[in-house]
Amino acid sequence: MKNTIDQKAREGYTLELGKLIDESFATFKKTFLVSGLGMLIVSVIMVLFYVGLLGSFFGFSNLSKTVLSIETLAKEPNFIIGSGIVSMFVSALFAPFTAGFIHLNYLAHHNKPFGIENLFDFYKEPYYKQIFLSYLVIGGLTALITTVLSLLGYEKLNTFVQILFSLATIFTLPLIIYGKLNYLEALSKSVQLYTKQPLIILVALLIAVIGMLLGIFILCIGIIFTIPYLYAMHYALYAQAVGFDSTSPSIATLQE
């Protein structure tokens, strides 16, 4: 598999936008209920985590006062640096959930059984360490650049930087999970793979965002159940760009 990844990173690959849409929607139809429930669970966990974190720093007695304290400190250099560090570790801590959402689409696409429990599959070795470190690097670089921009008064560029990092590292998790690469190799190959088809990848993800929003307003289902379409497109991009071999993880191999 590593030879295939090296070859495609070096020579490039083809992506068909129509096929990406068809394949991502096909897996989304199979997974949206499980993914939606999983998204709800993860959202609750994250809210409780942040409430606990804020409460430990500012106290639990007065929530409105806590919010005002954060607004007051938002432009303080120490707070900007501190929030960047916290964001870096939080993104790394929750990254295995993202891997789990992607893997649900792999299981659905290959007609394998899946459930909520699969969202926690990558909180175990040999995956957890590599996933955590990869997002620690991504979060660290993003936090460093956005913190510097904020301190210099260029906060409006932060969104652009975050989008750029997200696009360039889009293949990192699948390369760790399915390509068996370590975190540094996965980050490097992800950037190389992205630069081969940057426009189509961007357009595909924009279509996924539009589809997610249309699902909210037209189908009247909550955003919790439409966000997973982004993961379906994420999976479809990797499946078409790189593909899999016979040793890619399944339920059985992850539970061994």
Side-chain angles (χ1 to χ4, degrees):
M1 191 64 195
K2 192 174 186 301
N3 291 334
T4 300
I5 295 169
D6 289 340
Q7 180 183 358
K8 295 195 174 188
R10 183 175 61 253
E11 299 176 4
Y13 53 90
T14 59
L15 292 174
E16 298 178 26
L17 192 57
K19 189 177 178 181
L20 286 171
I21 296 171
D22 290 341
E23 291 181 352
S24 61
F25 190 66
T27 55
F28 173 69
K29 286 192 297 183
K30 295 179 181 179
T31 63
F32 83 96
L33 281 176
V34 173
S35 294
L37 290 173
M39 187 64 65
L40 182 61
I41 292 170
V42 173
S43 297
V44 171
I45 292 173
M46 291 189 71
V47 168
L48 292 175
F49 178 84
Y50 273 108
V51 168
L53 189 65
L54 291 174
S56 64
F57 280 101
F58 298 98
F60 295 95
S61 58
N62 193 326
L63 184 60
S64 60
K65 185 177 180 181
T66 298
V67 173
L68 289 174
S69 298
I70 294 173
E71 292 178 351
T72 303
L73 293 170
K75 295 188 181 296
E76 292 289 331
N78 289 340
F79 183 84
I80 294 173
I81 294 170
S83 62
I85 294 172
V86 170
S87 296
M88 175 181 70
F89 280 97
V90 170
S91 66
L93 184 63
F94 284 92
F97 279 125
T98 302
F101 282 113
I102 295 170
H103 192 54
L104 287 180
N105 291 277
Y106 170 88
L107 296 171
H109 184 232
H110 291 85
N111 297 314
K112 297 179 182 292
F114 61 89
I116 295 292
E117 67 276 5
N118 296 116
L119 295 177
F120 301 87
D121 280 337
F122 299 103
Y123 279 98
K124 62 181 72 171
E125 295 300 339
Y127 304 101
Y128 178 69
K129 179 181 176 181
Q130 300 303 322
I131 290 172
F132 181 86
L133 290 174
S134 70
Y135 265 62
L136 202 62
V137 172
I138 295 169
L141 290 174
T142 304
L144 177 62
I145 295 174
T146 55
T147 297
V148 171
L149 290 173
S150 296
L151 292 174
L152 294 175
Y154 297 105
E155 291 92 344
K156 293 182 180 179
L157 293 177
N158 286 347
T159 302
F160 172 77
V161 171
Q162 291 169 353
I163 291 173
L164 182 62
F165 270 84
S166 296
L167 289 171
T169 58
I170 188 170
F171 294 118
T172 302
L173 289 179
L175 286 171
I176 291 173
I177 300 168
Y178 308 115
K180 306 296 196 301
L181 301 185
N182 65 46
Y183 73 102
L184 290 177
E185 291 173 327
L187 287 166
S188 174
K189 294 303 178 185
S190 179
V191 173
Q192 293 177 54
L193 288 166
Y194 170 70
T195 58
K196 300 300 180 184
Q197 294 284 3
L199 183 59
I200 294 182
I201 291 173
L202 176 61
V203 171
L205 291 174
L206 284 174
I207 289 173
V209 171
I210 293 171
M212 179 187 72
L213 295 175
L214 287 176
I216 298 171
F217 295 110
I218 296 177
L219 301 179
C220 297
I221 57 177
I223 192 169
I224 292 293
F225 289 93
T226 56
I227 287 178
Y229 183 58
L230 289 173
Y231 298 116
M233 182 61 79
H234 194 160
Y235 166 79
L237 282 165
Y238 180 82
Q240 197 174 131
V242 180
F244 309 93
D245 64 12
S246 59
T247 63
S248 292
S250 64
I251 291 290
T253 57
L254 283 171
Q255 290 179 341
E256 290 177 356

